[in-house]
Amino acid sequence: MEPLLARSVRLDDDGVHVLDRRNFPFEKTWVRCGTVAEVAKAIEDMVTQSSGPYFAALWGMVLAAREARGLPRDEARAHLDQAGRLLVATRRTNNHLRKAVAAVLAGVDANDDLEAGALEGAKAGDERYRSRSRSLGRHTAELLPDEGAVLTHCWADLYLTETVATAQSMGKRLRFVCTETRPYLQGARLTAETLGEMGVDTTLITDGMGAAVMSTGDVDVLLTAADRVTMDGHVVNKVGTLGLAVAAHAFDVPFLAMVQAPDRLAPSAADVPIEYRPGDEVRHTLGRRTATDRARGLYPAFDVTPPRFVTRVVTDRGAYAPDGLADYYVGDVHD
């Protein structure tokens, strides 16, 4: 059975329904968003995380098309443009939101019926993401050992499920070690739960234990997703990835970073905006205060790992050295 997180956003007649990951897996509740503005607020408030915002943006744009029903074509198209800007602004570091918006707008521009075009574009964007994730998972699984331990950080949804499913079908016997991923504990609640659903031997550690675990020689590979990879090989991912990559380098553990495609709009790390979330979120865990009022909180949501600490960047077209990512685009216009 497909893990719940792989289908955590759905479009219905009454709006977009989003599985609330802030309480998962202790509670499995859905948040209904009746407008595109409510979808944007749900993304911004971390109701959905990992690849969830991509799908929320797809179906949120369909809501925007519904909202524009009856408007002249130019005004309706302008409403969609505004909705797209609103969605992209919710999580600036990950470029998948931009791709989701572009997929829907491409459908709109190819169809005289604005709502039908938006729905066609969203469905195409959904299938394309899933197809590329399957390819990405296959290429990643091929690089993993036949038996061994994989350390990961803040990793869930399709990249995870496709990689694990492929590795299992190949007969590989892998154990996973997950960091808890403060302050939202995505690793403890999302990654570990999904791996458990798939029958994987899973061990949970705190964020500060990664280097110690790698120092023992019990970890064979560090494997994470990437929110964005620049053309010069910098890996932008959930904060904490950099520290793990540096430790992996120190202890000769290969680091594989997964992304569907390197971003041609980001030649270097300077081209990627890093989202800073409210510092007060660091002083709370799952809605409960865990720190003193005497200290401020600082929360860069992402960090940047330089290419010298990256062994391979795995894409839907295979694995590349971080200084060879331009080869991904040779001969076509794939993005």
Side-chain angles (χ1 to χ4, degrees), residues 6-297:
R7 295 281 179 181
S8 64
V9 182
R10 68 174 188 265
L11 176 71
D12 287 331
D13 291 341
D14 63 346
V16 174
H17 293 254
V18 183
L19 180 68
D20 193 339
R21 300 188 185 210
R22 297 170 300 183
N23 302 315
F24 185 88
F26 318 118
E27 300 175 13
K28 297 181 175 68
T29 57
W30 295 77
V31 173
R32 185 185 73 83
C33 302
T35 66
V36 66
E38 290 177 354
V39 171
K41 188 71 166 58
I43 296 172
E44 193 171 63
D45 289 349
M46 301 287 280
V47 172
T48 186
Q49 303 152 25
S50 194
S51 65
Y54 173 84
F55 296 105
L58 286 177
W59 307 121
M61 288 294 289
V62 176
L63 291 188
R66 292 178 182 176
E67 293 167 5
R69 185 181 298 155
L71 292 176
R73 178 77 183 196
D74 288 349
E75 292 182 26
R77 185 62 168 75
H79 179 72
L80 286 175
D81 285 338
Q82 182 179 12
R85 288 191 294 270
L86 176 66
L87 290 167
V88 170
T90 59
R91 304 300 305 271
R92 300 183 305 146
T93 300
N94 189 312
N95 64 337
H96 278 143
L97 291 172
R98 173 181 57 80
K99 292 184 177 183
V101 170
V104 175
L105 293 180
V108 167
D109 291 340
N111 196 314
D112 291 336
D113 186 321
L114 186 128
E115 285 188 65
L119 186 59
E120 289 172 4
K123 288 180 177 179
D126 181 283
E127 176 50 36
R128 185 182 187 198
Y129 189 97
R130 295 181 188 278
S131 175
R132 294 177 76 176
S133 294
R134 286 191 291 271
S135 297
L136 177 57
R138 182 177 68 254
H139 290 303
T140 303
E142 290 171 350
L143 296 176
L144 298 179
D146 291 337
E147 185 171 0
V150 179
L151 173 63
T152 191
H153 180 63
C154 193
W155 183 43
D157 289 349
L158 296 176
Y159 293 5
L160 173 67
T161 58
E162 296 295 347
T163 298
V164 171
T166 302
Q168 290 174 331
S169 71
M170 297 169 68
K172 298 194 174 191
R173 298 176 299 278
L174 299 173
R175 309 182 308 279
F176 273 78
V177 179
C178 304
T179 57
E180 62 182 355
T181 325
R182 285 269 295 138
Y184 277 90
L185 302 182
Q186 294 104 317
R189 298 182 300 101
L190 309 182
T191 311
E193 172 70 10
T194 298
L195 287 166
E197 281 187 83
M198 300 184 76
V200 176
D201 181 334
T202 305
T203 299
L204 181 67
I205 63 174
T206 69
D207 288 357
M209 295 179 183
V213 170
M214 283 186 275
S215 73
T216 65
D218 292 331
V219 170
D220 297 284
V221 61
L222 170 63
L223 176 64
T224 74
D227 284 85
R228 203 180 313 199
V229 175
T230 65
M231 293 306 298
D232 64 355
H234 286 79
V235 171
V236 184
N237 194 43
K238 171 68 181 182
V239 68
T241 303
L242 172 59
L244 291 173
V246 172
H249 183 77
F251 294 112
D252 295 320
V253 175
F255 172 33
L256 307 179
M258 301 172 66
V259 71
Q260 289 186 8
D263 185 9
R264 287 187 294 187
L265 298 181
S268 71
D271 300 294
V272 180
I274 298 299
E275 175 189 355
Y276 277 74
R277 295 189 61 80
D280 199 48
E281 294 182 15
V282 175
R283 302 192 299 172
H284 292 74
T285 301
L286 301 184
R288 180 173 180 175
R289 175 174 289 282
T290 53
T292 175
D293 281 331
R294 298 178 186 276
R296 291 185 299 275

